[in-house]
Amino acid sequence: MGRKFLIVPLLLVACGCGSDPTAAGPATAGGASGRLRILATTGMIADAARRVGGDLVEVTALMGPGVDPHLYQPTARDQSQLKAAQLILYNGLHLEGKMAELFESLSKQKHVVAVSHDLPTEKLLSWRESAGMHDPHIWFDVTLWQQAVRTISRACSEADPAHAADFEQRSSDYLAELEHLDRECHELADRLPRDRRVLITSHDAFHYFGKAYGFDVVGIQGISTETEAGLKAITDAVDLIRRRKIRAIFPETSVSRAAIERVATDGHVSLGSELYSDSLGSPDSPAGTYVGMIRANMENIVKSLQGSTTDSAH
Ligand SMILES: [Zn+2]
């Protein structure tokens, strides 16, 4: 949608001029509501910010349900939201591949924080094709996302120090809920015998999930959706389906279905329901929150891969 992204920083800089009321400063003096105005890139981050901030914050998500962050370019309409925000939270690790320059520019004017910032490097998975880069899909390991929530809480406190204790309390409540979610994920995964835990999806969003919950993971389109699935990736996936007698493979809500449908046809395997990969479901659906999204995915995966045990490997 448009190629406005190079223009945006210039516009913001041009009208920055030291009189920008949204520049970093006493955040509580902000909008009419007096609440801290947060702009989050993805729905997962926006949800965490709402849980941490409660009624002390006003959160806008830049990317709605089904939107692919790898390819997202801010529109002219997003400019006013970016400008009005007092705190901008983004995933980082190149998830928002087209927005790095914009965040760099905005960080000179206000609080701009990557929620992946405090994750220890040894916990990050490498992005295989590009040396030195890391897989950005950290929300699929609930324990890593807990660290991101701590970072969000700290960012809120830095932007609005008067309410630091409130943010701390809410964040600790939410972290306890995520602790429970992580246990639930392990329990659901354990319903599947180890040899059935193979997850084939459209793009490589699920490696943290696989590592955390014991699944072999294959994304036929690579880590970013910028590259299309090659023929070899498709034939390799079909071979794997035959070899491991896989019951189902999975399309995703934010990625084109063409390649995964081709694999399903060639591999004579059913397509499971769509997984929520890089965006939440619609706000009125169970997957409209991070907890709901993770639970919906895990239930979908376990149910679709479960089958009679008659042909399970020895
Ligand atoms: Zn992705």
Side-chain angles (χ1 to χ4, degrees), residues 68-70 95 136-137 139 203-205 223-225 252 277-278:
D68 178 353
H70 300 285
L95 178 75
H137 302 89
W139 55 94
H203 92 298
D204 255 335
I223 286 204
S224 170
T225 52
E252 301 168 29
S277 48
D278 293 1

Short mmCIF file of all heavy atoms in Angstrom, two decimals, residues 68-70 95 136-137 139 203-205 223-225 252 277-278, ligand 1:
data_model
loop_
_atom_site.label_atom_id
_atom_site.label_comp_id
_atom_site.label_asym_id
_atom_site.label_seq_id
_atom_site.Cartn_x
_atom_site.Cartn_y
_atom_site.Cartn_z
N ASP A 68 0.16 -8.56 7.70
CA ASP A 68 1.49 -9.16 7.71
C ASP A 68 2.54 -8.09 8.07
O ASP A 68 2.78 -7.18 7.28
CB ASP A 68 1.77 -9.73 6.32
CG ASP A 68 3.16 -10.33 6.21
OD1 ASP A 68 3.96 -10.20 7.16
OD2 ASP A 68 3.44 -10.93 5.16
N PRO A 69 3.18 -8.20 9.25
CA PRO A 69 4.12 -7.16 9.66
C PRO A 69 5.39 -7.12 8.83
O PRO A 69 6.04 -6.07 8.74
CB PRO A 69 4.45 -7.53 11.12
CG PRO A 69 4.13 -8.97 11.24
CD PRO A 69 3.03 -9.26 10.27
N HIS A 70 5.78 -8.26 8.24
CA HIS A 70 7.02 -8.28 7.44
C HIS A 70 6.92 -7.31 6.26
O HIS A 70 7.92 -6.74 5.84
CB HIS A 70 7.29 -9.68 6.88
CG HIS A 70 7.44 -10.73 7.91
ND1 HIS A 70 8.58 -10.86 8.68
CD2 HIS A 70 6.61 -11.72 8.33
CE1 HIS A 70 8.43 -11.89 9.50
NE2 HIS A 70 7.25 -12.42 9.32
N LEU A 95 11.18 -7.75 12.54
CA LEU A 95 9.82 -8.19 12.20
C LEU A 95 9.14 -7.14 11.31
O LEU A 95 8.57 -7.47 10.28
CB LEU A 95 8.97 -8.40 13.45
CG LEU A 95 7.53 -8.82 13.13
CD1 LEU A 95 7.47 -10.28 12.67
CD2 LEU A 95 6.58 -8.59 14.29
N PRO A 136 12.37 -13.28 14.52
CA PRO A 136 11.61 -12.30 15.31
C PRO A 136 10.34 -12.82 15.99
O PRO A 136 9.74 -12.10 16.77
CB PRO A 136 11.22 -11.24 14.25
CG PRO A 136 11.12 -12.00 12.97
CD PRO A 136 12.12 -13.12 13.06
N HIS A 137 9.93 -14.07 15.72
CA HIS A 137 8.60 -14.53 16.16
C HIS A 137 8.61 -15.00 17.62
O HIS A 137 8.18 -16.10 17.95
CB HIS A 137 8.12 -15.67 15.26
CG HIS A 137 8.06 -15.29 13.80
ND1 HIS A 137 9.12 -15.44 12.94
CD2 HIS A 137 7.06 -14.73 13.08
CE1 HIS A 137 8.77 -15.00 11.73
NE2 HIS A 137 7.53 -14.57 11.78
N TRP A 139 6.88 -14.28 20.27
CA TRP A 139 5.66 -14.43 21.05
C TRP A 139 5.18 -15.88 21.12
O TRP A 139 4.32 -16.22 21.92
CB TRP A 139 4.54 -13.52 20.51
CG TRP A 139 4.24 -13.72 19.05
CD1 TRP A 139 3.29 -14.53 18.52
CD2 TRP A 139 4.91 -13.09 17.94
NE1 TRP A 139 3.32 -14.45 17.14
CE2 TRP A 139 4.31 -13.57 16.76
CE3 TRP A 139 5.95 -12.16 17.84
CZ2 TRP A 139 4.71 -13.16 15.48
CZ3 TRP A 139 6.36 -11.76 16.57
CH2 TRP A 139 5.74 -12.26 15.41
N HIS A 203 4.65 -20.04 6.54
CA HIS A 203 5.96 -19.42 6.70
C HIS A 203 6.54 -19.76 8.06
O HIS A 203 5.87 -20.29 8.92
CB HIS A 203 5.90 -17.92 6.40
CG HIS A 203 5.65 -17.01 7.57
ND1 HIS A 203 4.50 -17.05 8.33
CD2 HIS A 203 6.42 -16.03 8.12
CE1 HIS A 203 4.56 -16.12 9.27
NE2 HIS A 203 5.71 -15.49 9.17
N ASP A 204 7.83 -19.50 8.19
CA ASP A 204 8.59 -20.01 9.33
C ASP A 204 8.37 -19.21 10.61
O ASP A 204 9.31 -18.69 11.19
CB ASP A 204 10.08 -19.94 8.97
CG ASP A 204 10.65 -21.31 8.65
OD1 ASP A 204 10.09 -22.30 9.14
OD2 ASP A 204 11.66 -21.38 7.94
N ALA A 205 7.13 -19.13 11.06
CA ALA A 205 6.86 -18.32 12.26
C ALA A 205 6.95 -19.14 13.54
O ALA A 205 6.93 -18.57 14.62
CB ALA A 205 5.46 -17.71 12.16
N ILE A 223 11.47 -17.42 6.80
CA ILE A 223 11.11 -16.66 8.01
C ILE A 223 10.35 -15.39 7.68
O ILE A 223 9.38 -15.04 8.34
CB ILE A 223 12.36 -16.35 8.85
CG1 ILE A 223 12.78 -17.66 9.54
CG2 ILE A 223 12.09 -15.27 9.87
CD1 ILE A 223 13.58 -17.52 10.77
N SER A 224 10.77 -14.68 6.66
CA SER A 224 9.99 -13.52 6.24
C SER A 224 9.09 -13.94 5.10
O SER A 224 9.42 -14.85 4.34
CB SER A 224 10.92 -12.39 5.78
OG SER A 224 10.15 -11.37 5.18
N THR A 225 7.96 -13.28 4.99
CA THR A 225 7.05 -13.61 3.89
C THR A 225 7.48 -12.91 2.59
O THR A 225 6.82 -13.05 1.57
CB THR A 225 5.62 -13.16 4.24
OG1 THR A 225 5.67 -11.79 4.64
CG2 THR A 225 5.05 -14.00 5.35
N GLU A 252 -2.07 -19.91 7.37
CA GLU A 252 -1.99 -18.86 8.40
C GLU A 252 -2.85 -17.68 7.99
O GLU A 252 -3.03 -17.41 6.81
CB GLU A 252 -0.54 -18.39 8.56
CG GLU A 252 0.41 -19.49 8.95
CD GLU A 252 1.87 -19.05 8.82
OE1 GLU A 252 2.14 -17.86 8.98
OE2 GLU A 252 2.71 -19.91 8.54
N SER A 277 -0.61 -16.42 13.08
CA SER A 277 0.86 -16.41 13.18
C SER A 277 1.37 -15.05 13.60
O SER A 277 1.83 -14.87 14.71
CB SER A 277 1.50 -16.87 11.88
OG SER A 277 0.96 -16.22 10.77
N ASP A 278 1.26 -14.06 12.72
CA ASP A 278 1.86 -12.76 13.01
C ASP A 278 0.84 -11.69 13.38
O ASP A 278 1.17 -10.51 13.45
CB ASP A 278 2.69 -12.29 11.81
CG ASP A 278 3.92 -13.17 11.57
OD1 ASP A 278 4.10 -14.14 12.33
OD2 ASP A 278 4.68 -12.88 10.64
ZN ZN B 1 6.35 -13.90 10.32
#
